[in-house]
Amino acid sequence: MIAELKKALSVSKHPGMSQKLSLPRLVWQALPFIFSPGGYARPPLTVYWSVNSVCNLRCKMCDVGNPNPDSNFFANLRLDGKFTEIPIERFKSVIDEVAPYEPTISITSTEPLLYKPLGEAIAYARHRGLDVAVTTGGYILPKRAEELVEAGLTRLNVSIDGPSDLHNQIRGRSDSFQRSTEGITIFKELARQKGQNVEVLVNFTITNMNYHSLEAYYLALADFPIDRLNFTYMSYVTEEMAKTHNQIWGHKYNATVNCLNEDTQPDRVDVIKLSEQIRAIQAKGDRRVAFLPAFGLEELKTYFYKPTHFMGQQRCMVNWFIAEIIASGEVVPYTRCYYIPFGNIHNQSFLEIWNGEKMRAWRRDLRKYKRFPACTRCDQCY
């Protein structure tokens, strides 16, 4: 359990998790994993919401931006390719259901700022005493910043993947960087005026398109009011990973190629240059910066060049800690995971689904087998 304890100690650095979590509470949450072979879990610490199925960016590393309807990621986010969203009244009823357990509510996708009742959703969860985080590409953040502040948002997470021109190229909009950073500035100033100390976290996903630009990115953001800078690694599933997995688990938990295309290829990363960029950032001694995780050179070689190799011994415990509700109302393991609907909040209560037979069967398999062959590049397994 050493790897799991290390993960627990860094959990507050992840965008969707509350900073209020303590190690004792995390251990308390994990006890059913150890002592409940039936697959039961305590109510989740974080409820992730994909409140809609649309996005206004065309990100090159995304199965939504570069449509790949055959991928699990597309199935979880874009669903059937049609517009779908969570009705605000159903959102509120789930909040009422989970509020006694005080989870963080993390509204992450597909693009939350396109969800018209977003301010109402945040305000309602805050009224029930819950922390709320929103993760966004930030394109219409200047227009909605005031609404987020008025609603009492706890944490704003903005995805920016390079200095201005590179980020705009990756995101498929010529002014994406400018609009995101403008929105951050407006949001932070409005929060200051209201006396709110709201954290702004900016996340950089390292891919073959931007691995050489970490330091330029850091400098490009130097003058903006950002509280934390996270560097994370692209999540992906190769054809070999999916094939190996499906030979064993395809009948039950089918794997697909995820987030790979002609633009996004992990083996194009020059890990020596990337390692130099990482060291240059670390040398600045900026406490706002976190690499999740802090891979060394040999680990980077494994991550980008040997995708079938796990990065350590850590087992997946994701659905003892977090829940994921997608725009159709289905509860699934994790958006970058398999498309496995455990139940739908339009047909039954969330907590019935959370410890229903389908979800307990999934947990029993995870408990027994620890992780699956297609999980090697999921951040829940390293």
Side-chain angles (χ1 to χ4, degrees), residues 50-335:
S50 296
V51 289
N52 59 21
S53 63
V54 292
C55 188
N56 50 12
L57 298 177
R58 296 292 178 265
C59 305
K60 293 182 181 296
M61 65 290 192
C62 177
D63 286 338
V64 175
N66 273 302
N68 177 14
D70 297 325
S71 81
N72 283 327
F73 191 48
F74 185 97
N76 283 328
L77 287 188
R78 194 69 177 93
L79 307 176
D80 56 2
K82 299 177 182 177
F83 174 73
T84 309
E85 68 176 13
I86 296 290
I88 187 60
E89 294 307 319
R90 192 66 187 103
F91 179 93
K92 290 178 179 180
S93 65
V94 173
I95 295 300
D96 289 338
E97 197 178 350
V98 301
Y101 308 102
E102 300 182 338
T104 293
I105 303 301
S106 188
I107 305 173
T108 60
S109 46
T110 295
E111 172 47 65
L113 298 190
L114 294 177
Y115 184 55
K116 289 183 179 179
L118 180 61
E120 185 179 354
I122 295 167
Y124 191 80
R126 295 292 292 136
H127 172 71
R128 293 305 312 266
L130 305 182
D131 286 348
V132 183
V134 165
T135 298
T136 174
Y139 193 74
I140 58 173
L141 184 57
K143 293 182 178 180
R144 302 207 70 176
E146 183 175 5
E147 182 183 358
L148 300 183
V149 172
E150 292 294 331
L153 185 67
T154 308
R155 176 189 285 169
L156 176 65
N157 306 311
V158 183
S159 299
I160 300 178
D161 290 316
S164 177
D165 290 347
L166 179 57
H167 173 76
N168 293 340
Q169 179 185 356
I170 291 171
R171 296 282 169 167
R173 300 294 289 261
S174 62
D175 56 349
S176 180
F177 183 92
Q178 290 77 9
R179 294 182 66 142
S180 295
T181 51
E182 178 189 359
I184 289 170
T185 302
I186 293 170
F187 176 84
K188 200 67 173 174
E189 174 59 21
L190 291 171
R192 185 194 65 79
Q193 291 175 11
K194 290 185 69 69
Q196 298 176 0
N197 184 23
V198 187
E199 182 182 54
V200 172
L201 183 155
V202 173
N203 192 72
F204 179 109
T205 301
I206 299 170
T207 70
N208 59 285
M209 294 176 284
N210 62 12
Y211 70 89
H212 55 279
S213 69
L214 274 63
E215 189 170 19
Y217 162 85
Y218 176 88
L219 295 173
L221 293 177
D223 295 330
F224 295 102
I226 295 165
D227 300 291
R228 283 204 286 134
L229 288 169
N230 276 5
F231 291 89
T232 61
Y233 295 89
M234 62 181 292
S235 173
Y236 64 95
V237 178
T238 66
E239 185 175 353
E240 182 182 7
M241 290 162 62
K243 181 179 179 180
T244 301
H245 173 94
N246 287 335
Q247 287 174 347
I248 306 169
W249 291 103
H251 66 292
K252 203 170 186 180
Y253 311 128
N254 184 63
T256 65
V257 175
N258 282 5
C259 298
L260 296 179
N261 52 59
E262 60 182 15
D263 292 308
T264 309
Q265 293 293 329
D267 60 4
R268 295 177 186 169
V269 173
D270 183 332
V271 296
I272 294 177
K273 289 185 178 179
L274 172 57
S275 180
E276 292 171 352
Q277 287 284 299
I278 291 172
R279 289 199 301 272
I281 297 295
Q282 291 172 332
K284 298 180 187 302
D286 190 336
R287 293 186 178 182
R288 299 176 304 160
V289 172
F291 285 87
L292 300 176
F295 287 145
L297 178 58
E298 294 305 312
E299 291 168 310
L300 291 172
K301 290 178 181 178
T302 299
Y303 195 90
F304 289 105
Y305 302 157
K306 300 177 181 179
T308 60
H309 289 57
F310 280 97
M311 300 305 297
Q313 298 300 314
Q314 183 169 308
R315 69 199 79 193
C316 178
M317 299 173 66
V318 60
N319 290 136
W320 280 264
F321 290 87
I322 71 168
E324 179 91 40
I325 304 172
I326 60 176
S328 62
E330 292 172 329
V331 178
V332 300
Y334 196 48
T335 51

Side-chain angles (χ1 to χ4, degrees), residues 22-33 42-43 45 320-321:
S22 64
L23 186 57
R25 187 177 179 190
L26 290 166
V27 171
W28 174 251
Q29 190 74 20
L31 289 178
F33 176 89
R42 304 189 194 283
L45 296 178
W320 280 264
F321 290 87

